[in-house]
Amino acid sequence: MRTKPTLAIVVPCFNEEEVLPYTLPRFLAKLGELIRNNQVAEDSFLMLADDGSSDSTWDIICTLARHNSRVRGIRQSRNRGHQNTVLAGLMEVKDCCDASISIDCDGQDDVDAMDEMISRYREGFDVVYGVRGNRRTDAWFKRTTARAFYRLLGWLGAEVVYDHADYRLLSAPVMKELSGFREVNIYLRGMVPLVGFKSCEVVYERSKRIAGRSRYPLMKMMGLALDGVTSLSIKPIRLVMALGVVISVASFFGIVWAVANVVMGWAVSGWASTISVICLLGGVQLICLGVIGEYVGKTYLETKARPRYIISERTSFEGDGSSRPAQVAPTDAEESERGDV
């Protein structure tokens, strides 16, 4: 049985001024409860990661940090997306805690599931996935497409946890190993299982958003899904090749059939059939080029090795709320020298 850990609750935020006044007291109350119940150490804290918000989100974080020593905050220099912000928060706390729990700031994830997550950690599990018991609060379209996406990833050979988003506990060793993953196109839900270590699941009920609106509209969800597929599997490329083989074989028999018709004198000139074949093959070729182009584009971005996040400000860790500006995450070249992210 492990001793009680120093816990960091990592909360990514982007333009959440409407919801933070409701959810931050809830997170702090839960952290205080865990400390009072002797489940986590006294020096546990809340890490708020601002994804370059354009509203007063960062001001709210700074104000809270000024009055509460258990609150820390970092701010990205610009909006870089949810996954990069979660990663930034994890990398910020990996050397000063025994375990972290990442949770969205919208209040939909049940904070009481943290009790069981910490219990599983103390039993020896290094990764504890928060899995939704049902998706009744999601719209039919989102629920259906999300489940289809998880099945698609499984079919493509990616190792993912069904109905798991980004509510999870990671031990410090897992976070340190995760820092060794250098890809720019980040999909944490697929990367964490690749790290390995002993893992388990905790089922919880997801509620409706407390306030504000979702920061994951349809286009962002589609982009995240595309990143998930292309960063975890090369099977689409193989499917394109298989499709090319099938069409080539079918075309060969089509040519044989056409020649036989000419020899037998059955050939009839037809504009519609010709156009249909051209359109079919042209469409298939464009789809194939698009799939291949997506992988080529991702390879191009990876070779640039740009920083995945840049932290422009941090609140003081002593609880006085002052900010330290212009602190930038190192490039991958600098990181490789010191083994950090």
Side-chain angles (χ1 to χ4, degrees):
M1 177 69 74
R2 288 169 169 164
T3 58
K4 60 181 180 181
T6 295
L7 177 69
I9 301 177
V10 177
V11 185
C13 311
F14 176 62
N15 289 345
E16 298 290 0
E17 63 180 4
E18 295 180 47
V19 75
L20 287 180
Y22 298 97
T23 56
L24 289 184
R26 178 182 295 185
F27 295 146
L28 286 171
K30 187 61 188 180
L31 182 61
E33 177 186 326
L34 293 171
I35 293 173
R36 288 192 303 272
N37 293 339
N38 211 32
Q39 293 177 272
V40 300
E42 181 68 31
D43 57 349
S44 298
F45 59 94
L46 184 66
M47 170 57 73
L48 303 172
D50 180 23
D51 188 17
S53 299
S54 58
D55 62 3
S56 61
T57 295
W58 179 243
D59 294 331
I60 294 173
I61 293 173
C62 290
T63 300
L64 185 61
R66 186 178 302 116
H67 296 94
N68 195 316
S69 61
R70 289 178 181 163
V71 177
R72 306 179 185 182
I74 57 174
R75 187 184 194 188
Q76 298 215 70
S77 60
R78 60 179 295 272
N79 177 248
R80 294 180 180 270
H82 177 268
Q83 296 291 284
N84 288 285
T85 305
V86 175
L87 181 68
L90 293 176
M91 295 303 100
E92 189 75 8
V93 305
K94 66 182 174 64
D95 295 321
C96 54
C97 70
D98 300 309
S100 70
I101 294 179
S102 57
I103 183 171
D104 289 340
C105 67
D106 55 16
Q108 291 188 270
D109 296 323
D110 183 10
V111 294
D112 290 331
M114 292 184 186
D115 296 80
E116 190 173 354
M117 287 182 173
I118 294 167
S119 296
R120 295 291 178 267
Y121 166 81
R122 298 187 67 177
E123 290 172 6
F125 291 97
D126 289 288
V127 182
V128 183
Y129 299 104
V131 177
R132 303 170 188 178
N134 61 69
R135 304 184 69 109
R136 287 177 299 194
T137 58
D138 291 338
W140 176 87
F141 178 78
K142 183 177 181 179
R143 182 169 61 250
T144 304
T145 53
R147 288 175 173 170
F149 172 63
Y150 284 118
R151 292 191 180 96
L152 174 63
L153 281 179
W155 180 72
L156 291 175
E159 186 179 353
V160 292
V161 178
Y162 189 77
D163 267 342
H164 163 68
D166 289 292
Y167 189 20
R168 70 178 75 85
L169 179 147
L170 300 178
S171 68
V174 174
M175 288 187 282
K176 290 176 182 177
E177 292 302 327
L178 187 62
S179 69
F181 285 65
R182 298 298 184 184
E183 56 257 50
V184 175
N185 301 287
I186 299 172
Y187 186 69
L188 290 173
R189 302 173 197 182
M191 290 169 59
V192 171
L194 294 177
V195 178
F197 288 83
K198 191 176 181 181
S199 66
C200 66
E201 299 177 4
V202 168
V203 179
Y204 71 95
E205 297 300 318
R206 187 172 170 84
S207 58
K208 292 183 178 180
R209 186 181 179 91
I210 294 177
R213 60 184 179 84
S214 173
R215 303 302 171 182
Y216 250 106
L218 179 60
M219 294 306 297
K220 280 192 175 182
M221 289 175 58
M222 291 176 64
L224 179 64
L226 188 60
D227 282 341
V229 171
T230 54
S231 65
L232 296 175
S233 175
I234 62 169
K235 198 167 183 177
I237 292 286
R238 293 175 178 170
L239 291 175
V240 165
M241 182 176 66
L243 181 61
V245 171
V246 170
I247 292 178
S248 297
V249 172
S251 299
F252 172 77
F253 285 110
I255 292 171
V256 172
W257 176 79
V259 171
N261 274 273
V262 171
V263 171
M264 299 298 293
W266 297 340
V268 177
S269 57
W271 178 84
S273 59
T274 303
I275 292 299
S276 298
V277 172
I278 292 174
C279 290
L280 172 64
L281 293 179
V284 170
Q285 288 173 346
L286 289 175
I287 292 173
C288 294
L289 285 174
V291 173
I292 296 170
E294 183 67 27
Y295 279 93
V296 172
K298 292 293 174 64
T299 303
Y300 170 70
L301 292 175
E302 293 290 344
T303 58
K304 286 180 175 292
R306 290 172 176 167
R308 292 171 292 186
Y309 59 89
I310 298 175
I311 298 174
S312 60
E313 295 179 77
R314 291 180 174 87
T315 60
S316 171
F317 288 178
E318 287 73 38
D320 61 4
S322 60
S323 296
R324 301 190 305 235
Q327 303 202 31
V328 180
T331 63
D332 281 356
E334 295 170 323
E335 290 163 356
S336 63
E337 296 178 0
R338 69 182 212 187
D340 204 352
V341 168

